[in-house]
Amino acid sequence: MLKEHFRIVRGGASFRITQNRNPESINQMPESAILSSRPRVLSGMRPTGKLHLGNYMGALANWVKLQEAYECYFFIADLHALTTDYADPSRIKLNTLDVALDYLAAGLDPEKSTIFIQSHVPQHAELHLLFSMITPLGWLERVPTYKEQQENITGKDLTTYGFLGYPVLMASDILLYQADFVPVGQDQTAHVELTREVARRFNSLYKSAVFPEPDALLTPSPKVPGTDGRKMSKSYGNTIGLSESPLFWGPKIAAMSTNGQRIRQTDPGDPDLCPIGDLHKVFSAPELAEETRNRCRKASIRCEVCKAAVGKSILDLILPIHQKRKELESRIDETWEMLREQSAKAAVRAEQTMLSVRNIFDLSRDLGSVRRYFGTSAEDIKNAHDLSHHSSWWNLPQDQRAKLLRDYWRSNFLPRDVQLSQESNRVFASLDRELEEPFISAKKKRVFVTTSRDVNTEDKWNFEIPSRSYEVWTLLCWRSENKWLHDFVVPQKIFSQQFALAKRSMKKDEKIQVTVTRVEGNHFFLGVAGQTSRKIDELQSNYEPLN
Ligand code: SF4
């Protein structure tokens, strides 16, 4: 849509096109198959004002069908509008509302799709900025529409950073929701490629799988001629508005050129060379279209009758849209409220992606694990162990708390000369997988650091250890009374017999249960898989095995 519709133009590289899920085939899919899996679809339009028949037939009518079978996100791309209209943003909000009304009048349903405003989900701008760090300049300069639009759109200075970067913003829009498909017309199949390239680059740079590569979803995109015979487009001033009265557009159709066909009404014509013939193909019932085409060829219909017939076909299609829009216009506040609610809903989904992305860029908003105790005095050590000031940590979801404590331990407990890194800087999209990723010591020992899942306990903590071999386990647990964090650095070899025994009786992927028990004040015992416990006092805060 860079003009009115999403356009991402990159030539060359190959990518998959999904043809078996176009709206026609949707109708043939069994309902259960459709409902059981709902791939995610995303698309949007720039708020350039009221939509026209070209927008409707090329995109909106398809979206209305797609929302029956897909999890759909449809947005109003107001930030995109600013890439070209930055000098006069005075109509952005009004146009946004107009597009929203047309979306709803045409049949987009907030019960079925998420319909939102791009700028109301600030994660779009955030991801755009982060993607701009990794997108090579050459990719953008080679986008064909970059030069094309600079030449075609006169009267606006488009030599701006924002205009060059609009394909990155599009990639952000799509990838933010981890969309599976982007609906495009036959002539736009190349437009999804830049997004796929950005996803590939991100995943490969950070060895992650955060972003699936979206596919182009082919949707019907018939050629809709404007009232001057050229493609219908606002920039040509030849549109028929979805909500425009027939009193305005009727005379425009009547005055349309037949492109040289049937100058004399006794001459036979070729409807394939006449824009009215094209309008019939798009808007008339197949029987009527066929009949008028035949009669055109035989000169048995007058052009004004043919034009009136296509005008009637258009009117039949858009009259219900007009009526719905009139109703909606009388309750503008409801539409605005819907957009606010749906934007908040979209932001929740977007934030899920951004949590992973921020994590990868080490931009987590949680500063809890950052090193805060730099000294080695008794006071510093006491401060590091005492977590009673961090009451908010205990309300976090278990996995987040586990990650926070693990990072906190690494930053605040380890002496400066002990270096633990993550294996080959791998970053995982899944928190579960990340929590099982061992750290690597300077001497290449594999160190598994894990936290107890028990929060409200004073004297017994349970741990689960994957049945893989690590040289060292580090067990973190805390007392509910004073939130004192204990750490035990356990060389696996001390428990190798118990470990091997437990492993023998385990199923694949089962985890070994390890228990730390506190007895008689501050003595600690460790048991592996219910076998005899062993005292581990000397392992507490003993970082020797990590050197
Ligand atoms: S009959 Fe219809 S299709 Fe044929 S030239 Fe006239 S307006 Fe065009």
Side-chain angles (χ1 to χ4, degrees):
M1 305 174 248
L2 188 71
K3 285 194 176 173
E4 290 102 27
H5 201 85
F6 229 165
R7 281 177 180 272
I8 302 172
V9 179
R10 296 270 307 149
S14 64
F15 62 98
R16 289 166 293 161
I17 299 168
T18 297
Q19 289 178 305
N20 61 348
R21 284 183 175 161
N22 66 27
E24 277 80 16
S25 62
I26 289 165
N27 298 334
Q28 292 151 20
M29 287 168 73
E31 196 178 348
S32 58
I34 290 171
L35 295 176
S36 61
S37 78
R38 307 244 303 170
R40 199 168 301 130
V41 156
L42 176 131
S43 200
M45 290 190 201
R46 293 173 46 144
T48 51
K50 293 177 179 174
L51 301 182
H52 55 73
L53 285 179
N55 302 132
Y56 179 74
M57 296 308 294
L60 199 45
N62 295 320
W63 298 359
V64 172
K65 291 180 193 164
L66 289 173
Q67 63 181 348
E68 303 300 330
Y70 293 83
E71 181 191 350
C72 291
Y73 287 80
F74 297 122
F75 68 102
I76 301 160
D78 54 352
L79 294 176
H80 277 283
L82 287 174
T83 61
T84 51
D85 300 341
Y86 61 87
D88 178 16
S90 58
R91 291 188 64 84
I92 296 272
K93 188 174 270 183
L94 200 60
N95 288 348
T96 296
L97 196 56
D98 265 328
V99 172
L101 291 170
D102 280 338
Y103 276 6
L104 296 174
L108 289 191
D109 180 352
E111 296 285 321
K112 297 175 181 169
S113 299
T114 307
I115 303 163
F116 65 98
I117 302 173
Q118 184 189 25
S119 68
H120 288 210
V121 182
Q123 288 87 345
H124 286 254
E126 185 183 4
L127 189 57
H128 171 233
L129 178 71
L130 294 174
F131 278 164
S132 74
M133 308 294 177
I134 66 165
T135 307
L137 212 49
W139 289 8
L140 302 175
E141 287 165 339
R142 286 199 305 271
V143 171
T145 47
Y146 175 59
K147 284 263 177 307
E148 244 172 67
Q149 301 249 341
Q150 277 191 329
E151 283 159 17
N152 293 344
I153 301 180
T154 49
K156 290 178 186 172
D157 178 5
L158 297 183
T159 56
T160 58
Y161 168 65
F163 185 67
L164 177 68
Y166 81 82
V168 182
L169 184 54
M170 288 178 184
S172 311
D173 299 333
I174 297 165
L175 296 174
L176 189 55
Y177 300 91
Q178 296 165 314
D180 300 295
F181 297 110
V182 183
V184 289
Q186 187 86 46
D187 60 337
Q188 300 169 322
T189 50
H191 302 171
V192 186
E193 185 50 29
L194 184 76
T195 301
R196 293 172 58 83
E197 283 183 283
V198 171
R200 272 200 293 275
R201 183 164 172 86
F202 182 96
N203 290 342
S204 143
L205 267 177
Y206 305 111
K207 300 191 172 45
S208 79
V210 173
F211 296 114
E213 290 178 35
D215 286 329
L217 176 62
L218 280 186
T219 50
S221 181
K223 178 185 160 206
V224 180
T227 51
D228 61 359
R230 291 185 291 176
K231 185 179 175 192
M232 190 176 287
S233 164
K234 275 215 177 80
S235 48
Y236 296 142
N238 64 358
T239 60
I240 295 174
L242 259 190
S243 52
E244 191 178 335
S245 162
L247 293 176
F248 288 102
W249 56 258
K252 288 192 223 168
I253 289 191
M256 272 176 76
S257 157
T258 59
N259 201 18
Q261 300 302 297
R262 305 192 59 203
I263 305 291
R264 285 173 307 197
Q265 292 294 289
T266 48
D267 294 339
D270 182 349
D272 289 329
L273 299 178
C274 172
I276 297 291
D278 289 335
L279 286 175
H280 269 296
K281 274 189 230 161
V282 178
F283 295 105
S284 294
E287 308 76 40
L288 176 62
E290 195 51 34
E291 186 195 329
T292 48
R293 289 163 63 77
N294 289 338
R295 293 181 67 191
C296 171
R297 289 195 180 97
K298 292 180 197 156
S300 65
I301 185 173
R302 296 186 63 79
C303 285
E304 56 263 39
V305 177
C306 177
K307 289 174 178 176
V310 88
K312 169 80 169 48
S313 299
I314 293 173
L315 188 60
D316 287 346
L317 178 82
I318 64 177
L319 203 54
I321 299 176
H322 278 201
Q323 285 164 350
K324 180 83 189 286
R325 182 164 167 132
K326 281 256 165 306
E327 279 172 35
L328 291 163
E329 283 174 353
S330 67
R331 298 179 272 121
I332 290 293
D333 285 351
E334 285 178 24
T335 298
W336 200 245
E337 189 52 32
M338 179 280 289
L339 288 169
R340 265 199 288 263
E341 275 174 20
Q342 295 265 304
S343 299
K345 185 178 153 203
V348 169
R349 179 62 192 79
E351 184 62 9
Q352 274 179 29
T353 308
M354 288 313 298
L355 284 175
S356 302
V357 173
R358 286 189 210 111
N359 212 17
I360 282 170
F361 283 111
D362 211 5
L363 298 173
S364 165
R365 288 176 183 175
D366 192 339
L367 290 176
S369 68
V370 169
R371 186 175 188 106
R372 53 187 72 179
Y373 305 108
F374 289 91
T376 52
S377 67
E379 186 67 13
D380 277 333
I381 291 169
K382 177 176 170 296
N383 281 336
H385 281 269
D386 180 4
L387 302 182
S388 58
H389 303 300
H390 303 294
S391 53
S392 62
W393 293 11
W394 311 104
N395 300 324
L396 291 172
Q398 184 171 284
D399 285 347
Q400 275 184 34
R401 184 178 56 238
K403 181 175 178 337
L404 179 65
L405 285 171
R406 201 177 67 150
D407 292 345
Y408 178 85
W409 172 80
R410 186 160 70 124
S411 303
N412 292 279
F413 277 47
L414 294 183
R416 284 284 177 96
D417 56 336
V418 175
Q419 296 292 330
L420 290 188
S421 55
Q422 283 199 293
E423 196 174 35
S424 60
N425 286 325
R426 285 167 71 186
V427 182
F428 294 102
S430 140
L431 200 52
D432 276 355
R433 287 182 62 207
E434 191 181 342
L435 288 172
E436 294 205 353
E437 172 70 354
F439 291 104
I440 306 296
S441 73
K443 290 195 179 157
K444 304 287 176 221
K445 287 182 189 166
R446 289 159 57 80
V447 181
F448 180 69
V449 182
T450 186
T451 60
S452 164
R453 300 199 158 223
D454 309 287
V455 177
N456 299 313
T457 181
E458 279 297 292
D459 52 16
K460 190 171 181 189
W461 297 270
N462 297 293
F463 300 86
E464 289 186 332
I465 298 189
S467 62
R468 280 164 236 138
S469 47
Y470 304 107
E471 276 82 7
V472 182
W473 308 329
T474 295
L475 310 177
L476 305 177
C477 55
W478 52 92
R479 288 164 61 182
S480 59
E481 181 188 66
N482 55 9
K483 296 291 184 286
W484 186 269
L485 184 65
H486 296 278
D487 63 332
F488 300 95
V489 181
V490 185
Q492 185 172 295
K493 64 184 178 198
I494 298 181
F495 291 92
S496 58
Q497 279 184 351
Q498 292 95 319
F499 191 77
L501 204 61
K503 216 172 151 182
R504 230 174 282 151
S505 58
M506 278 169 48
K507 292 186 192 123
K508 192 169 175 275
D509 293 333
E510 217 175 328
K511 292 184 178 170
I512 292 176
Q513 305 296 317
V514 169
T515 307
V516 169
T517 314
R518 185 171 74 100
V519 292
E520 295 168 3
N522 260 343
H523 296 300
F524 293 87
F525 288 78
L526 189 148
V528 175
Q531 300 166 56
T532 318
S533 298
R534 174 198 159 123
K535 197 171 182 190
I536 54 165
D537 289 356
E538 78 280 9
L539 303 180
Q540 187 166 191
S541 298
N542 177 355
Y543 307 110
E544 199 57 35
L546 304 176
N547 281 322

mmCIF file of all heavy atoms in Angstrom, residues 47 68 80 96 111 147 300 310 334 358 402 405 462 466 470 507 546:
data_model
loop_
_atom_site.group_PDB
_atom_site.id
_atom_site.type_symbol
_atom_site.label_atom_id
_atom_site.label_comp_id
_atom_site.label_asym_id
_atom_site.label_seq_id
_atom_site.Cartn_x
_atom_site.Cartn_y
_atom_site.Cartn_z
ATOM 1 N N PRO A 47 -4.217 6.217 5.254
ATOM 2 C CA PRO A 47 -5.420 7.065 5.344
ATOM 3 C C PRO A 47 -5.324 8.249 4.391
ATOM 4 O O PRO A 47 -4.913 9.336 4.776
ATOM 5 C CB PRO A 47 -5.418 7.518 6.808
ATOM 6 C CG PRO A 47 -3.989 7.471 7.226
ATOM 7 C CD PRO A 47 -3.311 6.421 6.400
ATOM 8 N N GLU A 68 -13.067 -14.611 7.687
ATOM 9 C CA GLU A 68 -13.813 -15.810 8.070
ATOM 10 C C GLU A 68 -12.876 -16.980 8.349
ATOM 11 O O GLU A 68 -13.245 -17.925 9.027
ATOM 12 C CB GLU A 68 -14.792 -16.220 6.956
ATOM 13 C CG GLU A 68 -15.781 -15.130 6.565
ATOM 14 C CD GLU A 68 -16.657 -14.703 7.742
ATOM 15 O OE1 GLU A 68 -16.908 -15.548 8.613
ATOM 16 O OE2 GLU A 68 -17.056 -13.513 7.789
ATOM 17 N N HIS A 80 2.578 5.603 7.841
ATOM 18 C CA HIS A 80 2.987 5.549 6.433
ATOM 19 C C HIS A 80 2.557 6.807 5.691
ATOM 20 O O HIS A 80 3.266 7.288 4.818
ATOM 21 C CB HIS A 80 2.371 4.327 5.740
ATOM 22 C CG HIS A 80 3.158 3.089 5.962
ATOM 23 N ND1 HIS A 80 4.325 2.819 5.299
ATOM 24 C CD2 HIS A 80 2.968 2.055 6.803
ATOM 25 C CE1 HIS A 80 4.818 1.668 5.711
ATOM 26 N NE2 HIS A 80 4.011 1.183 6.629
ATOM 27 N N THR A 96 -8.147 9.062 8.737
ATOM 28 C CA THR A 96 -8.108 7.794 9.473
ATOM 29 C C THR A 96 -9.523 7.349 9.804
ATOM 30 O O THR A 96 -9.900 6.195 9.623
ATOM 31 C CB THR A 96 -7.284 7.969 10.771
ATOM 32 O OG1 THR A 96 -5.945 8.262 10.390
ATOM 33 C CG2 THR A 96 -7.300 6.729 11.634
ATOM 34 N N GLU A 111 -15.471 -8.065 15.620
ATOM 35 C CA GLU A 111 -15.628 -9.332 16.361
ATOM 36 C C GLU A 111 -14.765 -10.422 15.726
ATOM 37 O O GLU A 111 -14.437 -11.411 16.365
ATOM 38 C CB GLU A 111 -17.091 -9.806 16.306
ATOM 39 C CG GLU A 111 -18.077 -8.878 16.975
ATOM 40 C CD GLU A 111 -17.999 -8.972 18.488
ATOM 41 O OE1 GLU A 111 -17.835 -10.090 18.985
ATOM 42 O OE2 GLU A 111 -18.060 -7.912 19.152
ATOM 43 N N LYS A 147 12.529 5.240 -6.326
ATOM 44 C CA LYS A 147 12.849 6.214 -7.371
ATOM 45 C C LYS A 147 11.587 6.634 -8.123
ATOM 46 O O LYS A 147 11.360 7.806 -8.393
ATOM 47 C CB LYS A 147 13.846 5.601 -8.370
ATOM 48 C CG LYS A 147 15.278 5.538 -7.844
ATOM 49 C CD LYS A 147 16.056 6.736 -8.370
ATOM 50 C CE LYS A 147 17.475 6.817 -7.848
ATOM 51 N NZ LYS A 147 17.665 6.771 -6.428
ATOM 52 N N SER A 300 -25.900 -4.468 -30.999
ATOM 53 C CA SER A 300 -27.336 -4.559 -30.710
ATOM 54 C C SER A 300 -27.681 -3.903 -29.372
ATOM 55 O O SER A 300 -28.752 -4.135 -28.820
ATOM 56 C CB SER A 300 -27.781 -6.027 -30.720
ATOM 57 O OG SER A 300 -27.156 -6.717 -29.665
ATOM 58 N N VAL A 310 -24.117 -1.012 -16.338
ATOM 59 C CA VAL A 310 -22.983 -1.204 -15.416
ATOM 60 C C VAL A 310 -23.133 -0.286 -14.199
ATOM 61 O O VAL A 310 -22.754 -0.648 -13.079
ATOM 62 C CB VAL A 310 -21.624 -1.019 -16.135
ATOM 63 C CG1 VAL A 310 -21.143 0.429 -16.144
ATOM 64 C CG2 VAL A 310 -20.564 -1.886 -15.466
ATOM 65 N N GLU A 334 -18.662 5.763 18.620
ATOM 66 C CA GLU A 334 -18.548 4.306 18.774
ATOM 67 C C GLU A 334 -17.402 3.758 17.932
ATOM 68 O O GLU A 334 -16.652 2.883 18.352
ATOM 69 C CB GLU A 334 -19.849 3.610 18.346
ATOM 70 C CG GLU A 334 -20.940 3.765 19.375
ATOM 71 C CD GLU A 334 -22.239 3.127 18.923
ATOM 72 O OE1 GLU A 334 -22.202 2.204 18.076
ATOM 73 O OE2 GLU A 334 -23.289 3.572 19.406
ATOM 74 N N ARG A 358 13.411 -7.012 22.361
ATOM 75 C CA ARG A 358 14.188 -6.200 23.322
ATOM 76 C C ARG A 358 15.209 -7.057 24.042
ATOM 77 O O ARG A 358 16.327 -6.627 24.304
ATOM 78 C CB ARG A 358 13.247 -5.538 24.322
ATOM 79 C CG ARG A 358 12.475 -4.392 23.732
ATOM 80 C CD ARG A 358 11.720 -3.645 24.828
ATOM 81 N NE ARG A 358 10.515 -3.081 24.271
ATOM 82 C CZ ARG A 358 9.294 -3.489 24.554
ATOM 83 N NH1 ARG A 358 9.101 -4.451 25.434
ATOM 84 N NH2 ARG A 358 8.254 -2.931 23.991
ATOM 85 N N ALA A 402 12.663 -16.573 37.205
ATOM 86 C CA ALA A 402 13.816 -17.477 37.135
ATOM 87 C C ALA A 402 14.927 -16.855 36.288
ATOM 88 O O ALA A 402 16.100 -16.880 36.658
ATOM 89 C CB ALA A 402 13.382 -18.813 36.534
ATOM 90 N N LEU A 405 16.537 -13.894 38.205
ATOM 91 C CA LEU A 405 17.426 -14.307 39.300
ATOM 92 C C LEU A 405 18.723 -14.907 38.764
ATOM 93 O O LEU A 405 19.795 -14.703 39.316
ATOM 94 C CB LEU A 405 16.710 -15.320 40.204
ATOM 95 C CG LEU A 405 15.648 -14.696 41.115
ATOM 96 C CD1 LEU A 405 14.851 -15.771 41.815
ATOM 97 C CD2 LEU A 405 16.294 -13.774 42.139
ATOM 98 N N ASN A 462 12.974 -27.553 45.555
ATOM 99 C CA ASN A 462 13.067 -28.582 44.505
ATOM 100 C C ASN A 462 13.579 -27.964 43.201
ATOM 101 O O ASN A 462 13.215 -26.831 42.859
ATOM 102 C CB ASN A 462 11.683 -29.198 44.255
ATOM 103 C CG ASN A 462 11.189 -29.902 45.495
ATOM 104 O OD1 ASN A 462 11.748 -30.908 45.902
ATOM 105 N ND2 ASN A 462 10.164 -29.345 46.132
ATOM 106 N N PRO A 466 17.833 -31.055 33.494
ATOM 107 C CA PRO A 466 17.758 -31.896 32.293
ATOM 108 C C PRO A 466 18.812 -33.000 32.375
ATOM 109 O O PRO A 466 19.904 -32.777 32.901
ATOM 110 C CB PRO A 466 18.066 -30.932 31.143
ATOM 111 C CG PRO A 466 17.820 -29.572 31.699
ATOM 112 C CD PRO A 466 18.093 -29.652 33.156
ATOM 113 N N TYR A 470 26.349 -31.752 32.410
ATOM 114 C CA TYR A 470 26.934 -30.442 32.645
ATOM 115 C C TYR A 470 28.062 -30.670 33.646
ATOM 116 O O TYR A 470 27.943 -31.525 34.520
ATOM 117 C CB TYR A 470 25.914 -29.492 33.265
ATOM 118 C CG TYR A 470 24.650 -29.332 32.452
ATOM 119 C CD1 TYR A 470 23.456 -29.910 32.876
ATOM 120 C CD2 TYR A 470 24.659 -28.623 31.266
ATOM 121 C CE1 TYR A 470 22.301 -29.776 32.136
ATOM 122 C CE2 TYR A 470 23.506 -28.488 30.518
ATOM 123 C CZ TYR A 470 22.330 -29.069 30.953
ATOM 124 O OH TYR A 470 21.194 -28.931 30.216
ATOM 125 N N LYS A 507 12.684 -41.775 31.647
ATOM 126 C CA LYS A 507 12.265 -41.773 30.247
ATOM 127 C C LYS A 507 12.982 -40.625 29.543
ATOM 128 O O LYS A 507 13.476 -39.706 30.195
ATOM 129 C CB LYS A 507 10.761 -41.559 30.149
ATOM 130 C CG LYS A 507 9.964 -42.715 30.685
ATOM 131 C CD LYS A 507 8.485 -42.491 30.419
ATOM 132 C CE LYS A 507 7.666 -43.481 31.212
ATOM 133 N NZ LYS A 507 6.691 -42.873 32.091
ATOM 134 N N LEU A 546 34.025 -22.881 38.970
ATOM 135 C CA LEU A 546 33.752 -22.109 37.756
ATOM 136 C C LEU A 546 35.013 -21.525 37.137
ATOM 137 O O LEU A 546 34.974 -20.955 36.048
ATOM 138 C CB LEU A 546 32.768 -20.965 38.066
ATOM 139 C CG LEU A 546 31.448 -21.403 38.703
ATOM 140 C CD1 LEU A 546 30.600 -20.199 39.044
ATOM 141 C CD2 LEU A 546 30.694 -22.329 37.752
#
